Amino acid sequence: MKRAIIIVLDSVGIGELPDAAAFGDVGSNTLVNIKKVRPQTSLPNLCALGLGDIQGRDISLLGEVAAPKGCYGKMAERSIGKDTTTGHWEMAGIITKRPFPTFTETGFPKEVMDAFEAAIGTKTLGNYAESGTVIIQDLGVEHMKTGYPIVYTLRTACSRLRHMRMSFLSKSCMKCAKRQEKS
């Protein structure tokens, strides 16, 4: 085989892993949970490739096919930690022996935020764990008034930076990227 195509649908979970309880992920199964709440959800192309044929609790609700057109499966990381972050590292060939800190209880430490704000040249808003939609509801108006980017974490240990104004986004992100290159 000369080429392989790997498609990663980030945050599109297909069931919890055996270590789910250790990381607060019991019951995680994004696609099936969406299908249960919104039965009209239809993923015909992914199901044709074999999505609904993956082994696991209620996955067949997505739509099994008699002869999938693709290879399909569900992988489990060898790393210790939250699946989203450790999975990305594993795809790059790095197996982690201990979980990354998640900062979901306290946000990022002050020294991290101070260094980040110094690097991007502006204050930030937020720095707590929340969903993207809720953080925008909480801080969107203040962001629009000040232009300060919104920083937040998710339960998955991913950090996020939000800009809602496109004019600010393009200018500010370019400045941030240039500062990061120098540091």
Side-chain angles (χ1 to χ4, degrees), residues 4-110:
I5 297 172
I6 300 172
I7 299 171
V8 178
L9 302 177
D10 197 20
S11 298
V12 183
I14 196 76
E16 67 185 46
L17 292 175
D19 65 354
F23 299 100
D25 292 335
V26 173
S28 62
N29 195 337
T30 305
L31 287 176
V32 170
N33 290 334
I34 290 170
K35 181 71 173 178
K36 286 178 178 179
V37 172
R38 297 186 54 88
Q40 69 273 25
T41 300
S42 176
L43 303 167
N45 294 325
L46 291 175
C47 288
L49 292 171
L51 178 69
D53 294 271
I54 293 172
Q55 297 295 306
R57 183 180 209 167
D58 295 330
I59 294 173
S60 62
L61 293 173
L62 299 171
E64 293 177 287
V65 295
K69 297 176 183 175
C71 297
Y72 59 91
K74 176 176 156 178
M75 296 174 63
E77 296 94 4
R78 291 176 36 205
S79 295
I80 308 298
K82 296 289 282 183
D83 297 336
T84 297
T85 308
T86 59
H88 292 169
W89 281 63
E90 276 197 26
M91 284 186 282
I94 299 168
I95 309 292
T96 61
K97 302 282 189 238
R98 58 187 164 89
F100 294 112
T102 59
F103 308 110
T104 55
E105 300 298 320
T106 59
F108 294 104
K110 181 176 180 354

Side-chain angles (χ1 to χ4, degrees), residues 159-177:
S159 61
R160 298 286 190 252
L161 176 64
R162 292 272 181 196
H163 289 288
M164 296 189 322
R165 291 191 291 191
M166 293 310 289
S167 61
F168 178 79
L169 175 64
S170 58
K171 292 175 192 169
S172 180
C173 284
M174 289 306 291
K175 284 184 203 173
C176 293

